[in-house]
Amino acid sequence: MEYSPAYEEAKRLARDGSEPERAALAALTDTRPELLYFLAGDDAASVRKAVAGNAAAPAQADGLLAGDADPAVRARLGRKLAPRAAALAAAQDRLGRIGWEALCRLAEDAAIRVRAVLAEELKAMPDAPHGLILQLARDAAMEVAEPVIHLSPLLSEADLLALAEAPPVPETLSAIARRPALSEAISDALVASANEAAIGALLGNESAAIRESTLDGLILQAATRLPWQERLVRRPALSPRAQRALALCVAGHLLEPLAARSDLAPGLARRLQARLEARLAETPEGPSEARLFEAAGLEGDLPRMARLLATQATVPLRMVEQAARLRSAKALVSLCWQAGFDMRCALLAQTVLGQVPPGAALLPAEDGDWPLSSTEMLWQIELLADPLTA
């Protein structure tokens, strides 16, 4: 077989050229396949990297470079092969299978940067192989998993639920929580995980659908979780009950953004404004007993909460401990009423001191008043005082 002078020159450069000359030859799409395969074994990483990025490189060269010692070379190869993933996965010929095997090797590469390149290329591809997308979504490195979890249209609700129920790492849950347009079922699974960071991310995801009952429970739990409060006050839609609960649990510096919501009921807006004005009028004489109780609740100091409540309600400590042990929302609210505390303290007494489940906690009436009549609250305290109930 006769070769042109140009081919003979290319052979000479491939064998004896300088590194820049070999790299330039390796990058040309009209370089003959056998020369590109030869250059795939070059000592210089820059030359092998040029071959890895060359669309004209033969499958055999790609197969060789998938095991290259330099992760930069493997990453360049991944960037080239990923857009061909659908065709390679479906290929029946030998060369197509070599390319698919090379891509699969890169998806399992020890270097995170190599796997991350694949994830970046495949994250929004509508026809990427489903199995490959699932593999990347299950990656323990968030640089790899998060782009795919966040954007891939191939991840079904069943896929996401499976990931939420058995996350490879805790950070997987937060990545799911940030995905646009989550369903109520997926939101429920994230809440069931009890992962605080993931729930915080979910609350910050304005496009996530969250059941009203689930959101109510999270608001009650948010009393001791400032990051959750910061996201809740900015959620686009809150039911009247959720608004009332949030008004009780938010920290002082979040009162203003909450009061600025356009969807607040008039009565609640007035109460928030009054609380804002009272906060501005506070004197530096020291916190009241109610604020000390609130601080103990935010710190999770249950013994101090119990002592403060017993002292202010002028009841034996055993009565407070009994109400907490019974997880009695009515009894704890009644003790706070007798202590002269407000409903914010009553919420902390229920959710922190009494560990009352969110669905069983008592919120103020729509007019902001106590949820029980004074007669019923006095009766609850009498029940606690009865030694037969201890």
Side-chain angles (χ1 to χ4, degrees), residues 211-288:
R211 295 182 209 280
E212 188 173 316
S213 59
T214 301
L215 192 59
D216 287 348
L218 291 176
I219 289 172
L220 294 177
Q221 295 175 56
T224 57
R225 296 169 174 87
L226 185 58
W228 291 12
Q229 296 177 29
E230 291 170 341
R231 291 165 175 80
L232 280 163
V233 297
R234 294 174 175 85
R235 277 200 71 79
L238 292 172
S239 69
R241 172 183 165 85
Q243 291 176 8
R244 294 201 307 276
L246 192 54
L248 291 178
C249 75
V250 294
H253 73 282
L254 294 173
L255 285 172
E256 192 166 350
L258 180 60
R261 290 179 64 100
S262 61
D263 60 345
L264 288 182
L268 181 57
R270 286 194 296 271
R271 291 195 297 276
L272 280 172
Q273 189 59 42
R275 189 177 160 196
L276 265 171
E277 291 170 359
R279 184 169 180 263
L280 291 173
E282 285 179 355
T283 64
E285 296 174 357
S288 65

Side-chain angles (χ1 to χ4, degrees), residues 107-333:
E108 298 176 349
D109 200 283
I112 291 175
R113 64 182 290 192
V114 175
R115 307 196 306 276
V117 162
L118 293 186
E120 189 63 28
E121 292 293 326
L122 295 169
K123 65 184 180 183
M125 193 179 293
D127 60 350
H130 184 247
L132 187 57
I133 290 295
L134 275 180
Q135 180 179 339
L136 294 170
R138 292 181 183 129
D139 202 291
M142 285 301 99
E143 300 96 317
V144 180
E146 182 146 19
V148 173
I149 291 173
H150 187 69
L151 285 177
S152 178
L154 296 170
L155 289 175
S156 66
E157 178 156 312
D159 294 332
L160 293 167
L161 284 172
L163 272 175
E165 289 164 4
V169 290
E171 292 77 12
T172 301
L173 295 168
S174 294
I176 297 170
R178 287 187 281 270
R179 183 178 168 98
L182 290 179
S183 70
E184 291 180 343
I186 295 171
S187 294
D188 283 346
L190 291 169
V191 172
S193 75
N195 182 297
E196 291 200 15
I199 295 172
L202 176 68
L203 293 174
N205 182 350
E206 294 186 357
S207 68
I210 305 177
R211 295 182 209 280
E212 188 173 316
S213 59
T214 301
L215 192 59
D216 287 348
L218 291 176
I219 289 172
L220 294 177
Q221 295 175 56
T224 57
R225 296 169 174 87
L226 185 58
W228 291 12
Q229 296 177 29
E230 291 170 341
R231 291 165 175 80
L232 280 163
V233 297
R234 294 174 175 85
R235 277 200 71 79
L238 292 172
S239 69
R241 172 183 165 85
Q243 291 176 8
R244 294 201 307 276
L246 192 54
L248 291 178
C249 75
V250 294
H253 73 282
L254 294 173
L255 285 172
E256 192 166 350
L258 180 60
R261 290 179 64 100
S262 61
D263 60 345
L264 288 182
L268 181 57
R270 286 194 296 271
R271 291 195 297 276
L272 280 172
Q273 189 59 42
R275 189 177 160 196
L276 265 171
E277 291 170 359
R279 184 169 180 263
L280 291 173
E282 285 179 355
T283 64
E285 296 174 357
S288 65
E289 296 301 314
R291 298 291 75 83
L292 289 172
F293 180 84
E294 182 180 310
L298 295 175
E299 294 167 9
D301 189 340
L302 305 190
R304 186 153 62 103
M305 290 180 77
R307 288 195 300 272
L308 283 166
L309 183 54
T311 300
Q312 292 306 113
T314 60
V315 299
L317 179 60
R318 67 163 183 81
M319 287 175 58
V320 175
E321 292 171 341
Q322 172 74 352
R325 186 165 60 251
L326 293 173
R327 297 189 176 183
S328 172
K330 290 183 177 181
L332 290 164
V333 166

